[in-house]
Amino acid sequence: MLRVAVKKQRGSFLLDACFELPTPGVAALFGRSGCGKSTLVHVIAGLLSADQSKVMLDDRALEDTARGLYVPPERRRIGYVFQDARLFPHMSVAANLKYGEKRAAGRRYVDIDTVADLLALGTLMGRRTHQLSGGEKQRVAIGRALLSQPNLLLLDEPLASLDAARRDEVLPYLELLRDQLAIPMVYVSHNFDEVLRLATDVVLMEAGKVTAQGRLTEMSLNKDLRSIIGPEAVGAIVDGTVLGIDASGLTRLKVGHGELKVQAVAAAVGTNLRVQLLARDLIVATQPPQHLSVRNILGGVIIAVSGDDADSDLVAIDIGGVQIMARVTKAATRELDLKAGLPAWALVKSVSLRGHSFAVPAAASTERTAT
Amino acid sequence: MIWLSPAESEALRLSLSVAARSVALSLPLAILLAWLLTRRRFVGRTLLDAFVHLPLVLPPVVVGYLLLLLFGTRGPIGSWLERAFGVQLIFTRNGAALATAVMSFPLMVRAMRISLETVDRGLEDAARTLGAGAVDRFATITLPLMLPGILAGAITAFSAALGEFGAVITFVSNIPGETRTLPLALYTALQTPGGDIAAARLAFVSFVLGLGGLLLSEWFARRVRRLLGH
């Protein structure tokens, strides 16, 4: 468990944040630019001092201003991946990777071959850092941080300086790290797509404060989160278990007590996939629909109907312990008389759904609720 | 060297030897001061900064005179050096090296500071999170990255040391074979009736030396830049 509580006044800006991350897990620090996310991870790393701070990783206190305790960054065993990679320009890729490894203290859990395999660094080893593309630089920076054998990895908008194509090139590697190394990570981002693909937990920040935190699947419909990501990206994030592949090549996924067919790359039966059901893609029916091309029909009960904007409502539906949300026009709400307690069926086209591989850590799916 | 007279080649060799000693003496101290003045905030920093730059604005004769007061046989440091180590600076080439070192010190520190200011402190932070302590960081990140400045500073100081006149002649006098470097030999030649040709020859040697130094430093700088990946 990582516990962080930080108070820091900087001019008129007050950072006053605390959060907890169950380990192993990936906590996304998510919020608009300038909300204090970066400052917060700098304090966790020990690179920046705060007026009041307490940082605990598992049973080890790294910083506690009340007790005058401060472990310097070089002895925290916290890896840091910076937005601008910060590779050492006077060293080769291999020398960069070995820099942290040579200085690592304590238990070693990855060696250079494993890291080179995971991040596909084999062909880059002999290169100078200025010969690397942006995506390659970030992969080397991640590898370098991992080889220092950290107990926690901080990623400070590692993909923010990359274009969309480079970003898609690096993201799968980060997913691989999360699923194979079980190292706790704090991932700073203002891009929700990255959060959706990587995070187990999300800590929402706004103007220096933590406004909400919890498991991403439970937080996906949170009001504060909705206001940050905007109406187009609103939608339930659900984890499902792969049941198999159907005749047309779609992956069958058990979600709640229903079944979803989604597009996904080679997922084995029994593994987890994560899917976002965008509110704007869902259609609501009050009777079991028939004779439709739609492949996904999820039956459930309406939990709540709330106003979204002038013309539309958001309808929350429980589909067996899992909540999803659909956006409908106010006219539809009236005509169908949508209200809490009514049975409803949500429809969504398979082509709108993409499953992301997501091996939820063993400890993750059970305990903890949103706070 | 066949085309130089024994006295000329002696002056040349002496100049190179004095300049080399001078650079060797000031280099570590200059690196330390450049680092202190760029990276640390402490009481008296401005004063120290001004003190380092003094030789640039003082007449060299004044510097030579101050060195005489401090390092002369009766000076506080000079007498102690003699008693403790049997080292005499006055009228020796080591004394000449000290005088040129003091004179060229501000140039050296200046070149290093400019270079140090361009070293991305973020890289030092990165090294920190990878487990490198203060000395380790300095040796493996800061020092290599300020290498262009160190080289530039050393080469500038070396060239300046070859040409230093006032402080040298004031502090260690003009002794053939011991402290008569190129500029002092040139001056002596000018003072000697019929020494015009000798003076011209020495001036030419200084010219070749200077040009060679500049070309060499450019070549070095290019190599280092490539090494650092610019």
Side-chain angles (χ1 to χ4, degrees), chain B:
Chain B
M1 267 170 249
I2 315 154
W3 57 87
L4 290 181
S5 77
E8 284 165 353
S9 67
E10 189 180 68
L12 175 62
R13 261 186 284 120
L14 192 60
S15 274
L16 293 173
S17 151
V18 165
R21 281 160 207 242
S22 147
V23 169
L25 183 71
S26 50
L27 200 61
L29 197 62
I31 294 173
L32 179 71
L33 269 165
W35 184 79
L36 274 179
L37 292 173
T38 315
R39 290 292 167 84
R40 296 279 126 178
R41 295 284 167 269
F42 52 90
V43 183
R45 196 182 77 94
T46 318
L47 195 70
L48 181 66
D49 197 2
F51 194 75
V52 166
H53 282 92
L54 260 187
L56 274 187
V57 292
L58 279 179
V61 184
V62 175
V63 174
Y65 171 68
L66 289 174
L67 287 173
L68 262 182
L69 287 184
L70 285 174
F71 291 90
T73 35
R74 290 205 201 123
I77 306 177
S79 59
W80 173 76
L81 278 176
E82 182 137 29
R83 255 185 293 120
F85 304 102
V87 173
Q88 197 194 343
L89 288 177
I90 196 163
F91 306 132
T92 65
R93 61 183 71 188
N94 283 331
L98 175 66
T100 55
V102 171
M103 288 305 294
S104 55
F105 196 65
L107 297 174
M108 204 180 229
V109 174
R110 205 154 248 254
M112 288 180 192
R113 279 176 75 172
I114 291 170
S115 170
L116 188 54
E117 271 157 20
T118 64
V119 173
D120 180 1
R121 303 197 65 172
L123 294 176
E124 291 165 21
D125 277 350
R128 230 180 155 191
T129 63
L130 293 168
V135 177
D136 188 359
R137 283 200 301 277
F138 183 76
T140 56
I141 307 296
T142 320
L143 203 59
L145 289 175
M146 65 183 281
L147 204 59
I150 294 176
L151 274 176
I155 289 168
T156 316
F158 189 84
S159 314
L162 287 175
E164 180 49 38
F165 179 79
V168 173
I169 203 165
T170 314
F171 182 40
V172 294
S173 183
N174 183 2
I175 302 163
E178 190 61 35
T179 65
R180 183 175 290 171
T181 55
L182 275 177
L184 272 68
L186 184 69
Y187 170 76
T188 311
L190 284 173
Q191 299 297 306
T192 315
D196 302 0
I197 306 251
R201 287 168 62 91
L202 286 165
F204 181 69
V205 172
S206 301
F207 173 80
V208 171
L209 219 52
L211 191 66
L214 282 176
L215 291 176
L216 194 70
S217 85
E218 185 54 35
W219 178 76
F220 254 129
R222 225 176 272 172
R223 284 211 55 157
V224 169
R225 271 203 297 273
R226 203 163 43 225
L227 212 68
L228 293 182
H230 293 306

Side-chain angles (χ1 to χ4, degrees), chain A residues 112-287:
Chain A
I112 199 157
D113 294 332
T114 314
V115 167
D117 256 10
L118 269 176
L119 297 164
L121 299 174
T123 56
L124 307 178
M125 286 295 180
R127 293 227 219 138
R128 313 276 326 174
T129 58
H130 66 272
Q131 295 169 314
L132 303 177
S133 73
E136 289 169 337
K137 274 185 188 157
Q138 251 352 321
R139 269 154 56 202
V140 175
I142 294 163
R144 183 177 70 173
L146 279 177
L147 281 166
S148 69
Q149 320 291 327
N151 295 327
L152 170 71
L153 192 61
L154 304 174
L155 300 113
D156 189 359
E157 308 227 20
L159 307 181
S161 57
L162 305 181
D163 59 46
R166 295 288 152 275
R167 194 179 300 217
D168 287 344
E169 171 197 308
V170 181
L171 263 173
Y173 292 109
L174 289 169
E175 290 177 322
L176 212 57
L177 289 189
R178 176 200 60 206
D179 293 345
Q180 302 216 341
L181 292 181
I183 171 178
M185 297 191 231
V186 174
Y187 190 95
V188 175
S189 181
H190 63 252
N191 178 316
F192 191 65
D193 195 43
E194 291 167 19
V195 175
L196 167 66
R197 289 188 52 180
L198 294 173
T200 57
D201 292 69
V202 64
V203 177
L204 282 186
M205 286 189 69
E206 180 110 46
K209 309 264 182 306
V210 170
T211 52
Q213 59 179 313
R215 303 221 72 95
L216 180 60
T217 43
E218 292 156 2
M219 287 277 295
S220 59
L221 298 175
N222 177 284
K223 232 176 148 54
D224 295 308
L225 178 72
R226 274 165 23 204
S227 82
I228 299 176
I229 60 181
E232 286 303 295
V234 168
I237 296 169
V238 298
D239 284 332
T241 315
V242 175
L243 297 171
I245 313 277
D246 77 355
S248 58
L250 293 171
T251 303
R252 292 169 50 221
L253 210 57
K254 183 168 170 42
V255 174
H257 54 216
E259 192 182 314
L260 274 179
K261 293 195 175 74
V262 303
Q263 308 179 64
V265 273
V269 173
T271 58
N272 255 296
L273 282 188
R274 170 176 285 181
V275 177
Q276 187 181 28
L277 300 162
L278 287 173
R280 60 155 199 231
D281 289 340
L282 293 191
I283 295 164
V284 180
T286 46
Q287 284 176 1

Side-chain angles (χ1 to χ4, degrees), chain A residues 81-95:
Chain A
V81 178
F82 299 87
Q83 184 179 339
D84 50 351
R86 298 197 186 171
L87 299 181
F88 305 132
H90 56 302
M91 298 180 192
S92 69
V93 168

